[in-house]
Every structure is written in C-alpha cells, then in structure tokens.
Amino acid sequence: MSKKMVAYFSASGVTAKAAKELAAVCGADLYEIKPETPYTRADLDWTNKESRSSLERNDPLSRPVLADYLADIAGHDVIFVGFPVWWYTAPAIIKTFLGAYDFSEKIIVPFATSGGSGLGKTAETLREIVPMAIVMEGKLLNGKQKAEELKKWADSFEK
C-alpha cells in the first residue's frame, strides 16, 4: 500500500476543507503549502491587473517564496496537490512547491476547488515542472464529497 500525502495551498479556506476531507478518508498525511508572505484580499483581486495574483499569473517564471520547506516528500509515494483554480490553472505557489523538492518517480495527483472553471491544462503545466514524476489528471473537489467515492478515487492511485 502506498504512503500518501495531501499537500495543499488554500487562499480562503475552501481548498483546506477539501484537503482535510481527502486526507481523512484515505489516511494520508496532511501538509499545508504556505507562502512566506500571506496573500491579502487585495492580492487576490483578480479584477485588478496589478494585484499580486494577477502579476504572478502573467509571469510564467513567478515563484513566490514558501514559508517553509518541511514537506516529507521522500516518505511518500502518492502526493495529492490541492489548490484553488486561478485562471484555469494552479497558482504560482504550486509551481514553487513542486520545484522545491525531488518528486522523481512520485505519483502527483492534482485536485482543486473552483468557483466556476475547470482544471484546464493544469496537469500538462505541472508535468513540465516535475518531468520525473507521474502527474495524473486531476479532479475538482467542490462542495461536500461522499466519503466512499472520495476514498475510491484516492485509492485508485497506488504505486
């Protein structure tokens, strides 16, 4: 049986709730991805072209600094990586997280929460950052999930 981790970034608490549900149903360790400088409401204003999130989105090389580098990636085979969808993809902080560790031969499963868009080309983008990992297609986890269905989905990623 694979050792699983749920690593997540949550700007408003919605993704955190989904991550905690997922970790609970599949017996995974939980790790919160935090930026060194927390995002403010103004930073997250997607209607403002000068907001922090907008600037990060428009700069493909943007890599916000992490608050810590303590995720035990080596001790896990399957890593679920959760985030809110920003402009049809993962926020730049997820790229920072993936670039900060050795994910060689790990299975990475993206999951996200979204107010209206899907995952777009997220898996493709993540594969470019961690080419030595096996990046699966992701899933939206909006709202309350049925525990048995969530567990079945999570257990389908065995190494």
Side-chain angles (χ1 to χ4, degrees), residues 115-127:
S117 65
L119 289 169
K121 295 182 180 182
T122 299
E124 183 180 315
T125 301
L126 300 184
R127 286 182 189 114

Side-chain angles (χ1 to χ4, degrees), residues 8-21 32 44 84 113 141:
Y8 70 94
F9 163 69
S10 187
S12 67
V14 175
T15 305
K17 183 177 179 189
K20 290 172 185 175
E21 284 182 40
E32 184 177 2
L44 301 173
T113 57
L141 297 181

Side-chain angles (χ1 to χ4, degrees), residues 121-153:
K121 295 182 180 182
T122 299
E124 183 180 315
T125 301
L126 300 184
R127 286 182 189 114
E128 292 172 9
I129 297 165
V130 286
M132 299 305 288
I134 302 161
V135 179
M136 309 303 288
E137 291 299 320
K139 181 175 181 159
L140 286 178
L141 297 181
N142 289 331
K144 181 75 175 149
Q145 303 293 310
K146 291 184 179 178
E148 59 278 353
E149 290 176 15
L150 192 56
K151 182 169 178 27
K152 182 178 177 183
W153 175 73

Side-chain angles (χ1 to χ4, degrees), residues 49-100:
K49 292 180 182 179
E50 298 301 317
S51 73
R52 179 174 162 199
S53 61
S54 294
L55 294 173
E56 289 174 359
R57 175 201 171 256
N58 291 325
D59 178 1
L61 300 178
S62 176
R63 298 294 184 269
V65 178
L66 298 171
D68 68 60
Y69 295 82
L70 303 174
D72 177 22
I73 300 304
H76 297 86
D77 303 310
V78 179
I79 297 102
F80 294 90
V81 179
F83 48 86
V85 174
W86 290 359
W87 295 279
Y88 304 98
T89 193
I93 191 82
I94 297 301
K95 296 174 186 176
T96 304
F97 174 74
L98 292 175

